[in-house]
């Protein structure tokens, strides 16, 4: 069964606008972490933001924020004020206690000038 | 050098060649990982090392042979590969021991090696 679902294979956003990338996950473990990575065309996976299952507040890192809705098992990434350099693949990942990372299929974001 | 480095960045090899991919992490981490990323496929975990000991091998063909001489270095030895092995190979590291239960620990990736098998 798919543990991480990213339903948007591709997204477009106008420069300076905000965009939300969807991620839903499946787990019965109460202890888990959720991660977002960015992969530009160069190939490197760049860590963006982390949200723990016990965290009461949504995580934020600069222009990135994570809209964590635990009951819905949703961990959407919000990028504010999009820039041309934000064009990349974005991967949602989950790590349960004692387990390895599981990655979603990714969403390709294209920022339009 | 900082973070996780990988060499070479690009590699073209024939099916009869033998080559090695190298990964080095400068983060003081205890666990290292090899992933394969093929076009239009999710990231596939290949091998996991925890303090130089292999703790996971996800049914990877024997033509891929990992080696972890110390906690900072990880190699992937390649021999008699097939064209379908062409992919981006990513190395990653994390602080704690693999399977230690610390779900908070982030994996940090290297830039990857783009491999083309002719």
């Amino acid at each position: 069964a798919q543990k991480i679902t990213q339903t948007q294979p591709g997204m477009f956003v106008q420069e300076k606008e905000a965009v939300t990338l969807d991620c839903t996950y499946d787990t019965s473990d109460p202890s888990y972490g959720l991660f977002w990575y960015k992969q530009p065309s160069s190939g490197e996976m760049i860590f963006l933001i982390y949200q723990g299952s016990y965290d009461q507040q949504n995580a934020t890192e600069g222009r990135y924020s994570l809209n964590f809705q635990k009951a819905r098992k949703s961990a959407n990434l919000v990028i504010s004020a999009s820039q041309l350099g934000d064009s990349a693949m974005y991967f949602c990942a989950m790590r349960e206690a004692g387990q390895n990372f599981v990655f979603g299929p990714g969403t390709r974001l294209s920022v339009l000038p | 050098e900082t973070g996780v480095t990988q060499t070479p960045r690009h590699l073209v090899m024939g099916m009869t060649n033998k080559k090695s991919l190298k990964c080095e992490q400068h983060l003081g981490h205890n666990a290292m990982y090899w992933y394969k990323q093929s076009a239009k496929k999710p990231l596939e975990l290949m091998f996991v090392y925890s303090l130089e000991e292999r703790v996971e091998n996800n049914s990877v063909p024997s033509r891929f042979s990992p080696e972890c001489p110390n906690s900072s270095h990880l190699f992937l030895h390649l021999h008699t590969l097939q064209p379908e092995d062409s992919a981006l190979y990513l190395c990653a590291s994390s602080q704690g021991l693999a399977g230690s239960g610390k779900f908070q620990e982030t994996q940090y990736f290297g830039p990857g090696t783009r491999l083309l098998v002719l």
Side-chain angles (χ1 to χ4, degrees):
Chain A
Q2 194 87 328
K3 285 209 164 188
I4 300 285
T5 302
Q6 294 180 254
T7 57
Q8 307 151 314
M11 288 279 286
F12 291 90
V13 64
Q14 207 67 40
E15 194 178 7
K16 300 180 186 176
E17 297 288 311
V19 63
T20 298
L21 305 184
D22 295 342
C23 173
T24 56
Y25 58 92
D26 181 28
T27 181
S28 56
D29 193 326
S31 304
Y32 54 90
L34 298 158
F35 305 79
W36 277 92
Y37 288 84
K38 171 186 178 181
Q39 188 179 40
S41 57
S42 60
E44 183 175 2
M45 294 278 275
I46 302 166
F47 166 68
L48 295 178
I49 195 168
Y50 161 80
Q51 179 85 45
S53 59
Y54 298 113
D55 294 344
Q56 295 297 311
Q57 295 194 339
N58 287 342
T60 60
E61 287 287 348
R63 293 187 298 110
Y64 304 109
S65 60
L66 204 152
N67 184 0
F68 181 45
Q69 298 185 45
K70 194 170 181 177
R72 297 179 59 186
K73 295 186 177 176
S74 165
N76 298 340
L77 177 70
V78 181
I79 306 175
S80 63
S82 297
Q83 302 171 357
L84 295 178
D86 293 334
S87 294
M89 283 290 289
Y90 287 81
F91 292 92
C92 180
M94 177 176 67
R95 186 177 197 180
E96 296 164 301
Q99 301 296 317
N100 290 314
F101 272 64
V102 176
F103 287 83
T107 294
R108 181 170 297 282
L109 177 67
S110 299
V111 181
L112 305 174
Chain B
E1 291 276 21
T2 58
V4 182
T5 58
Q6 289 186 245
T7 54
R9 295 293 309 275
H10 301 270
L11 179 62
V12 180
M13 59 187 289
M15 289 191 284
T16 58
N17 292 157
K18 288 185 181 182
K19 297 286 184 183
S20 295
L21 309 185
K22 178 183 176 183
C23 174
E24 184 173 0
Q25 59 95 0
H26 310 269
L27 301 168
H29 288 169
N30 294 311
M32 296 187 77
Y33 309 79
W34 278 118
Y35 287 89
K36 176 183 178 184
Q37 188 179 32
S38 305
K40 308 201 177 190
K41 279 189 173 182
L43 215 56
E44 300 172 56
L45 179 63
M46 300 175 73
F47 300 105
V48 180
Y49 275 83
S50 188
L51 285 179
E52 302 118 62
E53 181 181 338
R54 189 191 312 180
V55 297
E56 189 152 339
N57 172 354
N58 277 351
S59 304
V60 179
S62 59
R63 57 185 184 269
F64 294 91
S65 173
E67 178 191 1
C68 189
N70 55 62
S71 60
S72 298
H73 293 86
L74 185 64
F75 294 88
L76 188 63
H77 304 299
L78 317 171
H79 61 98
T80 59
L81 293 193
Q82 305 298 311
E84 60 264 28
D85 297 322
S86 299
L88 178 68
Y89 289 84
L90 290 161
C91 173
S93 70
S94 63
Q95 174 64 48
L97 302 178
S100 70
K102 297 199 177 184
F103 61 88
Q104 301 94 328
E105 286 163 356
T106 302
Q107 276 191 355
Y108 293 93
F109 285 82
T113 295
R114 288 195 187 276
L115 173 66
L116 177 62
V117 181
L118 301 176

